[in-house]
Amino acid sequence: MNDTPTGSAGVDAGTGEPGVLRRPVTDAESRHANRAWWDADADDYQAEHGAFLGDVDFVWCPERLREADARLLGEVAGQRVLEVGCGAAAAARWLATQGARVVAMDLSAGMLRHAAQAADRTGVRVPLVQADALALPFADAAFDTACTAFGAIPFVADSAALLREVHRVLRPGGRWVFSVTHPMRWIFLDDPGEGGLRAVHSYFDRDPYVEQDAAGVPTYVEQHRTLGDRIRELVGAGFRLVDLVEPEWPAGHEGIWGQWSPLRGRLFPGTAIFVTEKPAP
């Protein structure tokens, strides 16, 4: 799991807290805000979550579903794999140990700095690329598989365009798998305790969660889409939905990650994982 926020979706933006609200933003505002956020937050994020994610592991979500167990990508040995929004690239390094030929990309130089440091620690190296997920710097059909665990998708204003870019760089028959905060979580307060069990927001309000400075400039933006929106975007981009995985909270897992907690996780899903394919001709 890579560029996962510390917990923003579902924050009660109606409490009058300064600088926190739900409002439309432009693509440029979203890109600028989130690149700056992740550059500034990279050290704190890794300090808080690095042990959970590991240096060479592929964890899909705070529910601790690992690719080593789920095998949502299928057989990756010998496959050309792109990790979109890789963060510190732990998943990409794990894929490399499984025989995949991996490229890891992210918008944030701060997160890629941690990816390079982890490569030095582990000796597992993959190519790192700083790029915008809305303009992937790769040729058509360059990859057999693409994936992201909470990377990129929630942080762009036009996720449909991102899906079209991924479709372009995948070969026919290639698999695209991504995890995001489960859309129903946006109904609730961003609280891992009992306060987070109260529904306060409309599921159908697509206005993003925005943190902004005193001048009204967004400093963090996270986008909401319904399950139906996600499926329509995927189909519109040309993908076929293979599976929608909603990981259950595992017994014995007592950790808290932002809004994710055993209390909430045992009642309703916190993560949605979309497993899709680019149909072959």
Side-chain angles (χ1 to χ4, degrees):
M1 189 163 51
N2 309 313
D3 286 359
T4 315
T6 54
S8 299
V11 168
D12 184 4
T15 61
E17 181 183 346
V20 177
L21 66 161
R22 301 280 289 274
R23 71 168 176 85
V25 295
T26 66
D27 177 67
E29 286 178 314
S30 184
R31 180 185 294 108
H32 181 269
N34 286 322
R35 178 173 179 174
W37 171 274
W38 288 110
D39 282 348
D41 192 60
D43 291 349
D44 289 342
Y45 180 87
Q46 286 302 119
E48 184 174 0
H49 302 299
F52 180 93
L53 297 174
D55 274 342
V56 184
D57 202 358
F58 194 146
V59 184
W60 280 108
C61 52
E63 291 87 350
R64 202 182 280 161
L65 181 67
R66 300 171 64 243
E67 176 60 14
D69 302 315
R71 297 292 178 179
L72 301 180
L73 300 180
E75 179 56 57
V76 297
Q79 299 288 294
R80 299 164 299 169
V81 181
L82 173 65
E83 185 183 9
V84 181
C86 66
R93 287 188 294 277
W94 181 84
L95 289 166
T97 67
Q98 305 303 299
R101 293 175 288 157
V102 192
V103 174
M105 61 140 293
D106 201 281
L107 183 64
S108 167
M111 296 304 291
L112 290 174
R113 172 170 50 83
H114 279 278
Q117 291 170 355
D120 290 341
R121 285 194 301 271
T122 64
V124 182
R125 302 182 183 279
V126 300
L128 302 175
V129 177
Q130 184 177 13
D132 187 338
L134 293 174
L136 296 174
F138 307 111
D140 295 356
F143 297 96
D144 302 299
T145 304
C147 60
T148 186
F150 283 81
I153 293 172
F155 306 112
V156 299
D158 191 351
S159 51
L162 187 158
L163 297 180
R164 291 193 295 271
E165 270 293 272
V166 174
H167 186 274
R168 178 184 65 79
V169 302
L170 270 184
R171 65 163 176 81
R175 181 160 285 205
W176 161 232
V177 184
F178 64 91
S179 61
V180 292
T181 300
H182 198 289
M184 75 169 291
R185 282 291 176 103
W186 284 72
I187 301 170
F188 301 96
L189 298 178
D190 191 10
D191 182 344
E194 291 187 2
L197 303 181
R198 182 168 63 92
V200 297
H201 296 299
S202 169
Y203 176 74
F204 302 104
D205 180 3
R206 275 79 163 185
D207 283 340
Y209 168 88
V210 180
E211 296 177 10
Q212 62 185 30
D213 62 20
V217 176
T219 57
Y220 177 93
V221 179
E222 189 173 346
Q223 303 284 339
H224 168 54
R225 301 289 185 272
T226 68
L227 283 173
D229 292 338
R230 291 288 181 214
I231 292 171
R232 281 185 289 274
E233 288 182 349
L234 283 163
V235 172
F239 288 103
R240 179 176 70 88
L241 183 65
V242 175
D243 197 3
L244 173 58
V245 180
E246 299 166 295
E248 296 186 37
W249 196 266
H253 178 18
E254 298 301 320
I256 292 177
W257 179 312
Q259 58 152 305
W260 280 265
S261 67
L263 174 65
R264 285 157 62 93
R266 289 163 187 156
L267 294 174
F268 48 84
T271 300
I273 306 176
F274 294 82
V275 183
T276 75
E277 291 180 348
K278 178 178 179 176

